[in-house]
């Protein structure tokens, strides 16, 4: 660092001061703050010390504000007086010269100096400054009255480099040192042995800072050759370890040596090839557990730690570790409360700055007042000094299933705009004192959700574009035309909400965060055609995904993807081209064979598949695998055959996509049609038309014309024109295929028809691996819904948070997946639907997912293998209380005369009695169930008795037991029998509903178990909340 800034430990509200050490000019300057209000910060210089030798380390005396200790490259340590302009100093020399890496002053005027290693000499020297200053007259100028030099009172650490030193203020006879590549050691100077009282093994020792508000904790940082890592230590956690415990060439894991928190790779590395270097670690002087980390890129990260109440009773002799790369690791009752980038690296894409404006140094400010503000003084590379106020996190919040935003108490008076929220920040409305406020989103205010979402996304996109334009460090290129692209990056812009100044209202944010629930309510599920037409309007990438799934689903339903013993349902181009059906090949084989099909067997099956699908013969570049290309072209999202080419070209031209029409025609080898499409487009395409004409006759273009085409790519009106100019100028279809702005289906269409086998194999492998790493769902034709789709959707969920789409899409191929991630996503999505109260949607999802699984030809083998979730056992049993005979209708018997209410529930034969479930254990969740299947029972019922022969059954009346003719229980409101008479066919329920006979359907309260007709219950509880039974005090009406 060229300069270092330090806040005076003696500052007061009347005289706030700070010191700047300029290492380039070799001087020390003391400043006093005149005023600090918001962005305005005024200060004046009061003292200056010039002609100081080169500085390697320094420390400001906590006893005398006029004394500063400096460490020099020669190993000499000097103590300068800076408050009288005399530039006088005391010198503390050593025998063997080497660099002084660290100095520290204690409250008892102990001076410590850490040196580079040298054989057979100590590297930590301790002097008693009181010996030199015992005759010093403070009122006289300079240090002339001080005594001559003396020997160190203590010498420690023989032959090891000391990189950092700090004294504990509460125990000034104790200091902590960082020993390079050895660890952190704490020494008690009162002990004569020189053995460290506490030792922690680690290499992260380049910077050490002690929490002045709780000196049990201190931080150490990694050196310039390591990853940027910060470790928090607890000196009470004593570990005595010898160097023999650690391999000399291996770095010890800080978690195994007593570190309380470890922040691995804690700084921004997104835009820098080399990892950043930690320049400084400082603890706040006013807030306990708060420290800052500054990197050489100007990033300043503030971290707040706090005691964990749940871990206060932990035994400090037993380390407990919990891995968490983001917020550190919990141990010894300490946790990360929050972290915040107060200043970002200068190369940050949104919040960066010029390199000369990046921060070089910082320190926490303190005036000693009880109501001291939490502020930081910082200096930039340009020499500017500013004060930054800490931004504490907004209040805790959560979104309830009822679409309410619950906001908790705030820690600071800083708050966001009332009723608004900035993307990238947590929403808040005002300051709350340990209370909560609910903000509700009313969907009736915005009936057109898709239109409102597009408006929010458009506003975020405009804000992002304006920010990028204003903060672009590149020179403007006037020749380059901005055109719309259709690749993965364009898709991700939908979910990229831009910089933090894109502000939306809180209710808009609630809408934005409730998209998955709103889609589920509107019917987003396993009906691919409905998803395309009604749900996903405006998102072309999701529509293309569901279009591909719809095409594959139709082929699977017609058994077109199963031939012989091989099933290739929902496989992608990568699997087909490589003749690989995946690691779980047993799920795709209809016969019990231990080995996957051979390449020759796979090729023979492809011929059968292609013929059964009635695919047109392959026509394209010469290939050794025509059947593979034939099926891969069918799997591509375009689904384009030569016979349907003209219809597709006309459709593109009707939407003013003449360049795309020309590209497709040229891919199919129809150059005249391509020229006709270009001619019908914009008039500035004459150059492209001439190039296509020259290419079609097989003549090579002159180099000058190729260069003209390259230059014309900058001003191409659309992405297809740009790709065609690249093809013409380079003379290879690879240039067209590698244009990332094109839709993936167009790139694959060109590759499958125009590239030779070797290049096609490379392209398929490269595109697939890139799509999986990026989570690019537009490449679903490459991965299919097989084993490669799971990691692809994992990256997609990480980038977008859209787990709903991943679960629904993978449900089509669930019988062929053997991946725990899908099972966890599916379980989480089902729980989410339950939290939203969409129980019918969840049941519909379960039913349709089971139906899709049964479409597999080897469904029984898949179910036996445990790949699919097993259906839950029957949980409710309807029985007669008189004879224990099950009341469920046996449709095989024509003599039965009653209709079963549900698969289960035990009923009492007298009016007013309760309806009980015949199970060993039931839950007490109080809800008014509309049918028996909604009761929550934790164990299956007792097995029913064997059915009676038809001849032995008693002929009964409606609403009576079919065996003993006992009357079924009666409604507690109307006293009429519960149940519905059997109408003689499976559609009897619908017929009864048409005749207004739905009064027989039984409902009951799961809390008090009293039964009612559905209509009676609705009429009663519309006006009452208490149960209709006089002696029952159950509040059934509140539980609906």
């Amino acid at each position: 660092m060229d300069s270092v800034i330090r806040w005076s430990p003696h500052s007061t509200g009347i005289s706030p001061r700070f010191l700047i050490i300029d290492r380039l000019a070799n001087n020390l300057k003391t400043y006093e703050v005149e005023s600090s209000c918001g962005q305005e910060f005024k200060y004046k210089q009061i003292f200056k010390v010039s002609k100081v030798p080169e500085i390697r380390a320094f420390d400001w005396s906590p006893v005398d504000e006029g004394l500063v200790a400096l460490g020099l490259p020669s190993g000499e340590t000097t103590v300068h007086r800076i408050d009288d302009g005399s530039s006088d100093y005391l010198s503390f020399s050593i025998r063997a010269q080497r660099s002084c890496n660290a100095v520290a002053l204690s409250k008892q005027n102990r001076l410590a100096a850490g040196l580079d290693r040298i054989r057979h000499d100590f590297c930590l020297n301790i002097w008693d400054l009181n010996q030199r200053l015992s005759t010093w007259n403070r009122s006289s100028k300079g240090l002339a009255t001080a005594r001559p030099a003396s020997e160190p009172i203590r010498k420690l650490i023989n032959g090891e480099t000391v990189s950092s030193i700090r004294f504990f203020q509460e125990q000034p006879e104790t200091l902590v040192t960082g020993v390079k590549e050895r660890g952190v050691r704490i020494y008690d100077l009162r002990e004569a042995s020189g053995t460290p009282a506490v030792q922690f093994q680690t290499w992260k020792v380049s910077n050490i800072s002690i929490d002045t508000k709780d000196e049990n904790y201190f931080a150490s940082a990694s050196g310039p050759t390591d990853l940027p890592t910060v470790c928090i230590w607890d000196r009470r956690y004593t570990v005595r370890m010898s160097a023999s415990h650690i391999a000399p060439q291996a770095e010890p894991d800080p978690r195994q040596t007593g570190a309380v928190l470890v922040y691995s790779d804690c700084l921004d590395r997104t835009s820098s090839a080399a990892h950043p270097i930690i320049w400084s670690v400082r603890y706040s002087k006013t807030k306990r557990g708060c420290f800052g980390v500054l990197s050489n890129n100007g990033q300043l990260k503030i971290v707040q730690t706090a005691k964990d109440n749940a871990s206060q009773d932990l035994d400090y002799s037993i380390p407990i570790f919990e891995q968490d790369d983001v917020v550190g690791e919990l141990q010894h009752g300490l946790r990360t409360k929050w972290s915040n980038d107060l200043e970002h690296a200068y190369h940050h894409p949104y919040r960066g700055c010029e390199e000369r404006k990046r921060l070089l140094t910082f320190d926490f400010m303190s005036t000693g007042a009880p109501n001291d503000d939490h502020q930081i003084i910082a200096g930039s590379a340009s020499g500017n000094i500013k004060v930054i106020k800490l931004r504490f996190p907004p209040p805790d919040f959560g979104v309830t299933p009822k679409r309410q935003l619950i906001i908790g108490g705030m820690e600071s008076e800083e708050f966001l705009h009332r009723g608004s929220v900035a993307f990238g920040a947590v929403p808040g409305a005002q300051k709350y004192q340990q209370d909560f406020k609910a903000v509700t989103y009313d969907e009736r205010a915005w009936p057109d959700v898709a239109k409102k979402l597009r408006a929010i996304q458009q506003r975020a996109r405009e804000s992002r574009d304006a920010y990028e334009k204003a903060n672009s460090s590149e020179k403007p290129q006037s020749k380059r035309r901005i055109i719309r692209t259709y690749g993965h990056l364009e898709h991700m812009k939908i979910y990229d909400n831009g910089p933090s100044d894109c502000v939306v209202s809180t209710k808009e944010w609630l809408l934005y965060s409730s998209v998955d629930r709103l889609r589920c309510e509107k019917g987003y599920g396993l009906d691919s055609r409905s998803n395309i037409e009604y749900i996903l309007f405006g998102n072309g990438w999701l529509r293309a995904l569901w279009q591909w799934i719809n095409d594959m689903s139709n082929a699977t339903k017609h058994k077109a993807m199963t031939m012989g013993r091989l099933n290739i349902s929902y496989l992608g181009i990568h699997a087909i081209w490589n003749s690989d059906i995946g690691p779980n090949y047993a799920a795709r084989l209809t016969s019990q064979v231990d080995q996957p099909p051979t390449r020759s067997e796979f090729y023979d099956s492809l011929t059968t598949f292609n013929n059964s699908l009635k695919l047109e013969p392959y026509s394209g570049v010469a290939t050794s695998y025509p059947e593979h290309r034939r099926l891969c072209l069918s799997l591509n999202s375009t689904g384009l055959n030569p016979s349907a080419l003209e219809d597709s070209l006309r459709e593109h031209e009707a939407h003013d996509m003449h360049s795309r029409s020309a590209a497709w025609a040229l891919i199919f080898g129809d150059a005249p049609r391509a020229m006709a499409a270009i001619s019908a487009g914009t008039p500035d395409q004459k150059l492209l038309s001439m190039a296509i004409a020259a290419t079609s006759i097989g003549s090579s273009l002159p180099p000058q014309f190729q260069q003209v085409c390259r230059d014309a790519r900058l001003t191409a009106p659309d992405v297809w024109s740009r790709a065609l100019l690249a093809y013409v100028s380079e003379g290879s279809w690879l240039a067209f295929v590698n244009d990332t702005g094109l839709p993936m289906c167009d790139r694959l269409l060109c590759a499958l028809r125009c590239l030779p086998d070797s290049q096609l194999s490379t392209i398929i492998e490269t595109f697939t691996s890139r799509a999986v790493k990026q989570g690019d769902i537009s490449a679903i034709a490459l991965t299919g819904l097989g084993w490669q789709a799971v990691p692809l959707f994992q990256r997609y969920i990480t980038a977008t948070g859209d787990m709903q789409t991943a679960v629904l899409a993978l449900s089509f191929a669930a019988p062929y997946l053997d991946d725990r991630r899908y099972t966890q996503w599916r379980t989480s999505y089902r729980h989410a639907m339950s939290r939203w109260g969409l129980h019918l949607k969840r049941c519909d999802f379960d039913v349709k997912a089971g139906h899709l699984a049964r479409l597999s030809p080897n469904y029984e083998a898949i179910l036996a293998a445990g790949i699919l979730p097993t259906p839950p056992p029957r949980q409710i049993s309807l029985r007669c209380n008189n004879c224990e005979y099950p009341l469920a209708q046996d449709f095989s018997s024509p003599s039965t005369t009653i209709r079963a209410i549900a698969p289960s529930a035990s009923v009492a034969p007298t009016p007013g009695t309760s309806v009980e479930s015949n199970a060993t254990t039931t839950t007490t969740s109080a809800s008014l169930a509309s049918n028996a299947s909604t009761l929550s029972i934790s164990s299956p019922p007792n097995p029913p008795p064997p059915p009676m022969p038809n001849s032995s059954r008693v002929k009964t009346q409606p609403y009576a037991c079919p065996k003993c003719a006992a009357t079924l229980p009666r409604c507690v409101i109307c006293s009429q029998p519960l149940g519905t008479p059997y109408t003689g066919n499976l559609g009897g329920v619908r017929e009864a509903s048409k005749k207004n006979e739905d009064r027989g359907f039984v409902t009951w309260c799961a809390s008090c178990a009293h039964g009612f007709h559905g209509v009676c219950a609705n009429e009663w509880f519309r006006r009452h909340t208490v149960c209709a039974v006089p002696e029952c005090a159950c509040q059934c009406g509140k539980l609906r």
Side-chain angles (χ1 to χ4, degrees):
M1 293 183 289
D2 297 337
S3 62
V4 181
I5 191 168
R6 283 294 176 266
W7 189 257
S8 172
H10 307 275
S11 290
T12 62
I14 301 175
S15 178
R17 296 182 179 183
F18 61 93
L19 175 69
I20 294 181
I21 299 95
D22 191 339
R23 292 181 171 178
L24 295 180
N26 293 333
N27 59 43
L28 309 176
K29 298 179 181 179
T30 306
Y31 295 88
E32 186 173 79
V33 179
E34 294 181 326
S35 64
S36 176
C37 181
Q39 297 295 331
E40 183 180 359
F41 181 60
K42 295 182 179 181
Y43 53 91
K44 64 179 180 179
Q45 178 180 319
I46 55 177
F47 301 112
K48 179 180 180 181
V49 179
S50 303
K51 299 180 181 180
V52 178
E54 182 181 351
I55 302 172
R56 291 296 305 273
F58 72 96
D59 193 21
W60 204 335
S61 172
V63 178
D64 194 317
E65 189 177 14
L67 299 181
V68 172
L70 304 179
L72 308 182
S74 63
E76 182 182 8
T77 303
T78 59
V79 176
H80 291 253
R81 184 169 184 180
I82 61 173
D83 61 347
D84 62 351
S86 64
S87 301
D88 202 0
Y89 64 91
L90 302 177
S91 178
F92 299 83
S93 302
I94 59 174
R95 295 179 181 177
Q97 289 191 358
R98 70 264 199 195
S99 177
C100 180
N101 300 320
V103 293
L105 288 166
S106 73
K107 282 190 173 182
Q108 291 184 350
N109 268 344
R110 297 287 191 267
L111 172 62
L115 309 172
D116 274 346
R117 62 174 296 183
I118 190 172
R119 187 174 297 179
H120 308 307
D121 197 2
F122 293 96
C123 298
L124 177 59
N125 295 325
I126 313 294
W127 289 274
D128 186 357
L129 199 56
N130 292 323
Q131 295 179 359
R132 301 285 304 271
L133 299 177
S134 60
T135 60
W136 175 48
N137 185 3
R138 184 71 175 76
S139 60
S140 62
K141 189 173 183 180
L143 297 170
T145 58
R147 296 179 62 181
S150 59
E151 286 294 317
I153 61 173
R154 295 296 300 272
K155 293 184 178 182
L156 304 171
I157 309 180
N158 190 0
E160 295 176 313
T161 300
V162 177
S163 58
S164 186
I165 309 171
R166 288 291 182 270
F167 278 99
F168 291 95
Q169 301 299 317
E170 295 178 355
Q171 298 178 354
E173 291 289 348
T174 306
L175 58 84
V176 56
T177 63
V179 182
K180 187 176 181 181
E181 298 183 0
R182 290 294 182 180
V184 178
R185 301 174 188 174
I186 299 178
Y187 288 91
D188 190 342
L189 300 182
R190 293 168 295 184
E191 294 184 2
S193 62
T195 304
V198 180
Q199 176 169 320
F200 302 103
Q201 297 287 355
T202 180
W203 285 2
K204 317 300 183 184
V205 291
S206 65
N207 286 275
I208 290 180
S209 181
I210 301 174
D211 187 356
T212 57
K213 291 297 183 179
D214 186 355
E215 293 193 349
N216 290 316
Y217 298 100
F218 59 93
S220 67
S222 60
T225 60
D226 302 324
L227 290 177
T229 304
V230 176
C231 302
I232 309 299
W233 310 88
D234 187 347
R235 66 174 178 173
R236 296 168 296 180
Y237 183 66
T238 304
V239 180
R240 289 187 178 269
M241 304 179 68
S242 63
S244 61
H245 292 168
I246 301 173
Q249 301 298 329
E251 179 181 0
D253 188 348
R255 295 168 299 173
Q256 299 178 1
T257 57
V260 178
L261 288 170
V262 179
Y263 300 90
S264 302
D265 200 5
C266 59
L267 298 177
D268 183 15
R269 300 175 59 192
T270 55
S271 303
S272 179
H275 59 75
I277 300 172
I278 295 178
W279 270 358
S280 179
V281 176
R282 304 287 295 175
Y283 262 103
S284 171
K285 302 175 180 64
T286 59
K287 191 170 181 61
R288 178 178 179 176
C290 181
F291 67 92
V293 183
L294 177 66
S295 75
N296 61 329
N297 293 329
Q299 180 184 3
L300 178 57
K301 179 182 288 292
I302 306 298
V303 180
Q304 174 68 60
T305 61
K307 293 292 186 67
D308 188 70
N309 295 329
S311 305
Q312 291 299 310
D313 297 331
L314 292 179
D315 186 358
Y316 279 90
S317 62
I318 305 176
I320 299 176
F321 311 104
E322 293 185 7
Q323 181 74 22
D324 192 335
D325 294 336
V326 178
V327 297
E329 299 158 7
L330 176 63
Q331 183 181 338
H332 317 319
L334 196 68
R335 62 182 175 86
T336 303
K337 189 174 183 180
W338 55 264
S339 63
N340 181 27
D341 285 336
L342 202 59
E343 291 287 333
H344 293 267
Y346 70 89
H347 51 66
H348 192 279
Y350 286 152
R351 302 173 180 87
C353 62
E354 299 179 15
E355 186 174 1
R356 64 182 183 86
K357 294 182 180 180
R358 77 185 195 280
L359 292 187
L360 291 183
T361 179
F362 83 101
D363 196 11
F364 287 91
M365 301 170 63
S366 172
T367 60
N371 56 349
D372 209 349
D373 289 337
H374 307 295
Q375 294 179 326
I376 286 176
I377 183 170
S380 65
S382 61
N384 183 39
I385 299 175
K386 62 180 179 180
V387 173
I388 308 173
K389 191 171 184 179
L390 292 188
R391 298 193 300 265
F392 291 97
D396 294 334
F397 78 104
V399 180
T400 68
K402 294 183 178 181
R403 214 172 298 138
Q404 287 184 328
L405 177 65
I406 305 299
I407 307 174
M410 297 187 70
E411 185 174 346
S412 172
E413 294 185 359
E414 296 288 333
F415 55 91
L416 302 176
H417 301 288
R418 181 181 298 273
S420 64
V421 53
F423 279 120
V426 183
Q430 63 184 37
K431 180 181 179 181
Y432 302 100
Q433 298 293 341
Q434 303 298 329
D435 59 342
F436 297 89
K437 179 179 179 180
V439 181
T440 306
Y441 155 68
D442 186 5
E443 64 179 358
R444 293 174 296 179
W446 296 325
D448 192 349
V449 174
K451 183 178 180 180
K452 191 65 179 181
L453 286 175
R454 286 195 299 272
I456 298 174
Q457 293 167 358
Q458 179 64 26
R459 195 158 70 243
R461 186 181 298 111
E462 293 174 354
S463 177
R464 180 184 60 249
D465 294 342
Y467 187 91
E468 291 177 350
K469 183 178 180 180
N471 294 272
S472 177
S473 59
E474 300 179 357
K475 295 182 179 180
Q477 299 179 356
S478 57
K479 294 183 178 180
R480 182 178 296 275
R481 177 184 294 185
I482 300 177
I483 58 178
R484 180 185 178 185
T485 58
Y486 300 86
H488 173 67
L489 295 179
E490 189 68 21
H491 182 205
M492 289 298 101
K493 287 182 180 179
I494 296 179
Y495 305 96
D496 182 7
N497 300 312
S500 59
D501 58 352
C502 178
V503 178
V504 298
S505 67
T506 306
K507 293 187 177 182
E508 285 179 327
W509 182 87
L510 278 173
L511 170 67
Y512 199 85
S513 63
S514 304
V515 172
D516 49 358
R517 170 174 177 154
L518 294 174
R519 284 177 175 173
C520 186
E521 288 178 348
K522 299 298 182 182
Y524 190 35
L526 297 179
D527 187 349
S528 54
R529 177 51 56 188
S530 174
N531 295 342
I532 297 170
E533 294 180 356
Y534 304 108
I535 309 301
L536 301 174
F537 179 77
N539 194 323
W541 290 269
L542 287 181
R543 287 169 59 87
L545 168 69
W546 283 105
Q547 183 62 57
W548 187 89
I549 294 176
N550 182 69
D551 296 340
M552 296 301 104
S553 177
N554 292 335
T556 301
K557 289 178 182 178
H558 294 90
K559 308 295 183 182
M561 308 305 287
T562 303
M563 288 294 169
R565 71 185 188 97
L566 182 61
N567 181 8
I568 62 170
S569 300
Y570 302 105
L571 284 181
I573 293 175
H574 183 273
I576 299 299
W577 181 253
N578 293 284
S579 303
D580 183 11
I581 61 175
N584 191 25
Y585 58 85
R588 293 189 174 274
L589 300 178
T590 58
S591 59
Q592 300 296 328
V593 181
D594 296 336
Q595 297 295 329
T598 62
R599 293 186 67 88
S600 59
E601 184 181 359
F602 193 90
Y603 186 83
D604 295 338
S605 299
L606 287 186
T607 305
T608 307
F609 281 127
N610 294 336
N611 294 334
S612 65
L613 292 171
K614 299 180 181 180
L615 301 180
E616 297 187 10
Y618 168 73
S619 59
V621 70
T623 178
S624 302
Y625 309 97
E627 297 301 328
H628 286 73
R629 291 189 184 239
R630 185 181 174 190
L631 183 57
C632 288
L633 282 170
S634 175
L635 294 178
N636 190 24
S637 300
T638 57
L640 190 61
N641 292 318
S643 60
L645 175 63
E646 185 60 31
D647 295 337
S648 300
L649 300 185
R650 290 178 180 175
E651 181 179 357
H652 293 330
E653 292 169 354
H655 292 85
D656 285 337
M657 303 174 72
H658 298 276
S659 299
R660 189 179 193 186
S661 178
W664 282 24
L666 200 60
I667 290 172
F668 278 84
D670 193 349
R673 183 67 179 86
M675 295 174 60
I678 288 293
S679 301
T682 57
D684 57 350
Q685 296 290 325
K686 293 183 179 180
L687 177 63
L688 180 58
S689 179
M690 294 170 54
I692 293 175
T695 305
S696 62
I697 61 178
S699 60
S700 59
L701 300 178
Q704 296 83 357
F705 190 77
Q706 291 181 354
Q707 185 60 41
V708 171
C709 292
R710 293 190 186 98
D711 296 339
R713 293 171 58 186
L714 300 176
T715 58
D718 54 67
V719 67
W720 288 280
S721 299
R722 184 181 67 186
L724 285 175
L725 287 170
Y727 157 68
V728 171
S729 60
E730 302 297 334
S732 171
W733 281 110
L734 271 177
F736 184 95
V737 172
N738 288 325
D739 193 327
T740 57
L742 290 171
M744 180 60 72
C745 59
D746 290 29
R747 301 167 70 188
L748 291 176
L749 176 65
C750 178
L752 291 169
R753 291 193 58 86
C754 303
L755 295 183
D757 292 341
S758 59
Q759 291 184 351
L760 179 60
S761 298
T762 303
I763 286 295
I764 290 178
E765 196 67 36
T766 303
F767 282 12
T768 303
S769 61
R770 185 182 303 165
V772 170
K773 290 180 181 179
Q774 296 178 347
D776 184 5
I777 61 171
S778 65
I780 195 66
L782 278 170
T783 63
L785 294 178
W787 74 100
Q788 292 172 314
V790 178
L792 182 146
F793 276 111
Q794 182 178 10
R795 295 299 181 92
Y796 172 76
I797 293 172
T798 302
T800 66
D802 186 11
M803 184 177 63
Q804 182 182 41
T805 296
V807 172
L808 295 177
L810 291 174
S811 296
F812 285 81
Y816 316 109
L817 296 176
D818 189 11
D819 198 303
R820 186 175 61 180
R821 287 171 289 186
Y822 165 69
T823 305
Q824 293 174 344
W825 297 339
R826 183 179 184 274
T827 303
S828 298
Y829 182 57
R830 294 181 71 255
H831 289 171
M833 287 190 286
S834 298
R835 290 194 303 270
W836 298 335
L838 303 178
H839 305 290
L840 295 181
K841 297 292 184 181
R842 189 204 64 225
C843 294
D844 181 70
F845 169 76
D846 291 340
V847 170
K848 290 183 177 179
H851 176 69
L852 290 173
R854 285 189 292 272
L855 293 177
S856 175
N858 51 344
Y859 171 72
E860 297 297 334
I862 293 173
L863 192 62
I867 298 176
L868 296 177
T870 56
R874 189 179 65 175
Q875 297 175 332
I876 304 295
S877 176
L878 270 174
R879 299 173 182 275
C880 175
N881 273 359
N882 184 48
C883 65
E884 290 292 328
Y885 186 77
L887 299 180
Q889 176 61 45
D890 182 8
F891 290 104
S892 63
S893 173
S895 62
T896 309
T897 58
I898 72 165
R899 167 70 174 171
I901 313 303
S904 272
S906 153
V907 292
T910 58
T913 55
S914 62
V915 180
E916 300 175 354
S917 60
N918 188 17
T920 58
T921 307
T922 64
T923 62
T924 59
S925 60
S927 62
L928 188 63
S930 61
N931 53 55
S933 62
T934 59
L935 278 182
S936 176
I937 308 297
S938 60
S939 62
N942 298 326
M948 298 290 293
N950 293 339
S951 59
S952 64
R953 293 192 178 185
V954 181
K955 187 174 182 180
T956 61
Q957 297 297 324
Y959 312 111
C961 174
K963 179 184 177 184
C964 66
T967 305
L968 294 183
R970 297 178 181 274
C971 175
V972 298
I973 298 176
C974 68
S975 298
Q976 296 299 315
L978 295 172
T980 303
Y982 175 54
T983 58
N985 57 71
L986 293 177
V989 176
R990 289 189 294 270
E991 292 183 7
S993 177
K994 293 178 181 179
K995 298 177 181 179
N996 197 21
E997 295 179 0
D998 57 343
R999 293 179 57 89
F1001 288 106
V1002 62
T1003 63
W1004 64 88
C1005 175
S1007 178
C1008 65
H1010 290 127
F1012 321 88
H1013 291 114
V1015 175
C1016 297
N1018 287 331
E1019 292 178 356
W1020 174 265
F1021 292 113
R1022 190 178 295 116
R1023 298 186 299 270
H1024 308 85
T1025 58
V1026 69
C1027 181
V1029 178
E1031 61 272 12
C1032 181
C1034 179
Q1035 300 288 325
C1036 306
K1038 294 183 178 180
L1039 307 176
R1040 292 197 295 172

